[in-house]
């Protein structure tokens, strides 16, 4: 029932809008690889679309309402045109399922993140029977089995590769266990094959993705084994992974930093709070002393390693003392490139109905934390001025006069390179910086010392 349509004679256009995390970005690319098989080509122009697909995220505030208002906007823009096929994918689709079809008749199909392998069948079914369809089963095994037979055509210098999905940790503030289901690890060989294919298509950096990426376990093969195996692919220069949980920073993963030549020295390890009280209230299942032990071990292996993190401020029950513990932790670890938010309740989670910290106090705490994090980042970038660093060049800047790349610590770097540098690791002397970006010039003399 796969392809009744002749792809060449009946090309249709799909417009995909993606909200949220890197896993959604990976999924959107894989959805496109899939719908190509039934004759869709991608359009960047919404007005041109025969099919409008919204890949949604449930993490941010009022996620559901944002989806409905986005659909309202689409409806308006197609007012005098033939209606496109409207598909809602992603975590809001999973959480809301049939409700969406009832509330907004403009939506035709609702498809959850574990059902993307059924998307072609669902579209063709709808075209034939004009029936509204909702597909939200948790079926990660079939999904990845199916997707592994369809080539990942992303072709980006820095490419995402999902290795794990779902979560069994049930932090009280988080919807992921409900929208992405239980922890599931893709088969080891399936991932290696996809990594090789990505490398053959121009990837130089692979970012391994999972909601609990370091919980990866395929019959005893762990994330550390995957890193070392991917490292053997010649064309791959850099490996990263995200997002990890402090509880799953196992010995083998820490030790891999001793031997790996391609694993980047930035560890993104969300801590959420610097207070054990709050971590307990959040059901985080780790303590600050465990977190700091991991930090110390990694710094001992390689003092160059830096940490980045996620922080939730003003979680219900967070006292002034708890908040000060967070400040202390930030000063101790000197986090770079981190994210911080005020707690906001998510429907269906344990923290949904808890009494919230006063809004004014919450805002003040966020501001203090962000100032501290931003200061660290500015200092770190300033320290790199007049030094030479390795940069993986990802693309030309929009005006095509410079190139854009990333340092080992994921910081954006802009310099006077050319198209021929795209996909290469080059040496750049940093001349200037701000909080988010380093500006430099290409160094041709490779004998100069790197920072
Ligand atoms: S470990 Fe991460 S994904 Fe799992 S519930 Fe906690 S915050 Fe959500």
């Amino acid at each position: 029932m796969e392809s009744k349509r002749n792809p060449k004679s009946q090309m249709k256009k799909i417009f995909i809008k993606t909200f949220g995390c890197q896993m959604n970005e990976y999924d959107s690319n894989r959805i496109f690889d899939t719908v190509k098989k039934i004759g869709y080509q991608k359009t960047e122009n919404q007005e041109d679309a025969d099919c409008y697909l919204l890949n949604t995220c449930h993490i941010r505030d009022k996620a559901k309402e944002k989806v409905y208002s986005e659909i309202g906007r689409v409806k308006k823009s197609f007012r005098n045109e033939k209606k496109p096929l409207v598909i809602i994918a992603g975590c809001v689709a999973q959480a809301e399922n049939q409700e969406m079809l009832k509330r907004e008749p403009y939506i035709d199909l609702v498809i959850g993140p574990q059902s993307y392998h059924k998307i072609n069948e669902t579209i063709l079914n709808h075209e034939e029977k004009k029936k509204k369809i909702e597909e939200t089963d948790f079926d990660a095994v079939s999904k990845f089995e199916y997707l592994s037979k369809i080539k990942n055509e992303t072709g980006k210098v820095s490419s995402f590769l999902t290795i794990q999905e779902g979560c069994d940790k049930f932090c009280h503030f988080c919807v992921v266990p409900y929208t992405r289901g239980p922890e599931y690890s893709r088969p080891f060989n399936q991932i290696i094959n996809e990594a090789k294919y990505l490398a053959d298509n121009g990837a130089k950096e692979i970012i391994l993705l999972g909601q609990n990426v370091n919980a990866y376990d395929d019959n005893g093969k762990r994330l550390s084994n995957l890193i070392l195996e991917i490292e053997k692919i010649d064309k791959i220069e850099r490996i990263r992974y995200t997002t990890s949980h402090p509880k799953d920073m196992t010995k083998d993963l820490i030790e891999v930093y001793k031997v790996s030549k391609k694993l980047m020295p930035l560890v993104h390890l969300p801590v959420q709070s610097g207070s054990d009280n709050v971590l307990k209230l959040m059901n985080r299942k780790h303590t600050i002393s465990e977190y700091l032990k991991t930090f110390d071990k990694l710094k001992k292996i390689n003092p160059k390693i830096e940490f980045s993190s996620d922080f939730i401020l003003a979680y219900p029950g967070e006292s002034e003392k708890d908040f000060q513990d967070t400040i202390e932790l930030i000063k101790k670890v000197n986090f770079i490139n981190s994210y911080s938010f005020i707690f906001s309740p998510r429907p269906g989670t344990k923290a949904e109905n808890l009494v919230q910290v006063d809004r004014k106090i919450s805002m003040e705490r966020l501001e203090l934390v962000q100032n501290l994090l931003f200061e660290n980042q500015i200092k770190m970038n300033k320290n790199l001025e007049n030094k030479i660093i390795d940069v993986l060049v990802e693309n030309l800047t929009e005006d095509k006069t410079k190139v854009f790349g990333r340092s080992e610590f994921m910081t954006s770097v802009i310099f006077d390179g050319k198209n021929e540098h795209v996909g290469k690791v080059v040496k750049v002397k940093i001349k200037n910086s701000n909080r988010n970006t380093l500006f430099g010039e290409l160094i041709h003399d490779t004998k100069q010392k790197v920072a």
Side-chain angles (χ1 to χ4, degrees), residues 63-184:
K64 188 169 75 175
E65 295 315 314
K66 277 181 193 152
V67 171
Y68 289 117
S69 77
E70 181 67 21
I71 294 305
R73 218 182 41 73
V74 176
K75 217 182 319 191
K76 226 174 181 180
S77 80
F78 279 91
R79 202 175 23 216
N80 301 319
E81 312 287 328
K82 182 171 171 263
K83 173 193 179 308
L85 172 69
V86 174
I87 306 177
I88 307 297
C91 291
V92 176
Q94 185 69 44
E96 292 297 303
N97 50 59
Q98 294 209 350
E99 268 315 296
M100 304 203 90
L101 296 176
K102 281 190 209 142
R103 179 166 159 187
E104 178 47 271
Y106 203 71
I107 298 171
D108 298 298
L109 306 176
V110 172
I111 186 151
Q114 309 290 7
S115 302
Y116 295 152
H117 56 296
K118 296 186 192 155
I119 194 162
N120 287 356
E121 193 186 318
T122 314
I123 291 176
L124 293 175
N125 230 328
H126 174 80
E127 284 178 354
E128 204 177 306
K129 299 182 185 143
K130 298 284 166 248
K131 209 173 138 234
K132 307 243 169 206
I133 304 170
E134 171 258 327
E135 282 286 356
T136 49
D137 289 346
F138 284 131
D139 193 2
V141 181
S142 314
K143 169 184 155 180
F144 284 112
E145 235 166 52
Y146 178 88
L147 287 179
S148 68
K149 291 181 199 122
I150 293 176
K151 301 243 159 33
N152 186 334
E153 308 271 8
T154 315
K156 275 187 165 178
V157 170
S158 176
S159 288
F160 295 133
L161 204 177
T162 294
I163 65 165
Q164 181 278 341
E165 268 203 19
C167 179
D168 299 334
K169 309 260 185 331
F170 290 91
C171 299
H172 287 171
F173 54 82
C174 182
V175 286
V176 165
Y178 311 101
T179 57
R180 293 268 174 170
E183 281 174 13
Y184 165 76

Side-chain angles (χ1 to χ4, degrees), residues 114-369:
Q114 309 290 7
S115 302
Y116 295 152
H117 56 296
K118 296 186 192 155
I119 194 162
N120 287 356
E121 193 186 318
T122 314
I123 291 176
L124 293 175
N125 230 328
H126 174 80
E127 284 178 354
E128 204 177 306
K129 299 182 185 143
K130 298 284 166 248
K131 209 173 138 234
K132 307 243 169 206
I133 304 170
E134 171 258 327
E135 282 286 356
T136 49
D137 289 346
F138 284 131
D139 193 2
V141 181
S142 314
K143 169 184 155 180
F144 284 112
E145 235 166 52
Y146 178 88
L147 287 179
S148 68
K149 291 181 199 122
I150 293 176
K151 301 243 159 33
N152 186 334
E153 308 271 8
T154 315
K156 275 187 165 178
V157 170
S158 176
S159 288
F160 295 133
L161 204 177
T162 294
I163 65 165
Q164 181 278 341
E165 268 203 19
C167 179
D168 299 334
K169 309 260 185 331
F170 290 91
C171 299
H172 287 171
F173 54 82
C174 182
V175 286
V176 165
Y178 311 101
T179 57
R180 293 268 174 170
E183 281 174 13
Y184 165 76
S185 297
R186 289 179 69 187
F188 189 83
N189 288 335
Q190 209 182 76
I191 296 167
I192 300 302
N193 287 340
E194 191 168 329
K196 285 182 182 155
Y197 191 79
L198 286 170
D200 287 341
N201 271 282
K204 301 288 173 186
E205 173 177 89
I206 293 209
I207 306 182
L208 302 170
L209 299 179
Q211 266 96 24
N212 265 278
V213 74
N214 55 346
Y216 178 84
D217 189 344
D218 175 30
N219 293 312
K221 291 226 166 84
R222 303 296 316 265
L223 175 60
S224 55
N225 303 102
L226 265 179
I227 292 168
L228 293 175
E229 196 60 29
I230 291 174
E231 181 155 301
K232 291 182 191 155
I233 305 171
D234 276 347
K235 291 175 191 156
I236 298 299
E237 307 257 7
R238 290 180 169 185
I239 303 170
R240 304 182 190 271
Y241 60 89
T242 196
T243 290
S244 32
H245 191 284
K247 206 173 154 37
D248 293 314
M249 287 305 291
T250 46
K251 192 162 173 255
D252 57 308
L253 183 55
I254 292 175
E255 300 271 311
V256 95
Y257 283 85
K258 277 188 194 161
V259 288
S260 170
K261 296 195 173 49
K262 297 184 179 175
L263 182 58
M264 290 295 101
L266 175 68
V267 180
H268 182 70
L269 193 58
V271 67
Q272 309 299 1
S273 168
S275 151
D276 281 343
N277 293 334
V278 176
L279 292 180
K280 205 155 179 215
L281 291 173
M282 288 174 165
N283 193 32
R284 282 292 286 172
K285 302 186 175 78
H286 67 88
T287 62
I288 292 303
S289 87
E290 284 161 359
Y291 191 93
L292 287 173
K293 259 186 213 147
T294 301
F295 172 76
D296 289 339
K297 282 182 198 160
L298 283 165
K299 278 285 195 191
K300 213 161 153 200
I301 288 172
N302 179 3
K304 198 175 143 183
I305 286 175
E306 299 288 352
F307 272 55
S308 66
S309 194
D310 298 342
F311 295 91
I312 296 175
L313 279 315
Y315 186 76
E318 183 189 79
S319 67
E320 181 57 29
K321 159 84 176 69
D322 296 324
F323 172 65
Q324 288 307 327
D325 288 347
T326 299
I327 295 282
E328 201 185 303
L329 182 77
I330 294 174
K331 287 183 179 159
K332 202 174 277 172
V333 175
N334 270 326
F335 293 99
I336 61 166
N337 303 340
S338 297
Y339 302 94
S340 47
F341 310 94
I342 293 177
F343 167 76
S344 123
R346 295 288 169 266
T349 60
K350 283 234 166 132
E352 180 185 359
N353 296 315
L354 298 178
V355 179
Q356 294 192 43
V357 174
D358 174 80
R359 189 73 193 161
K360 190 163 164 275
I361 295 176
S362 308
M363 301 282 282
E364 281 165 9
R365 288 181 183 171
L366 179 71
E367 201 182 326
L368 284 166
V369 159

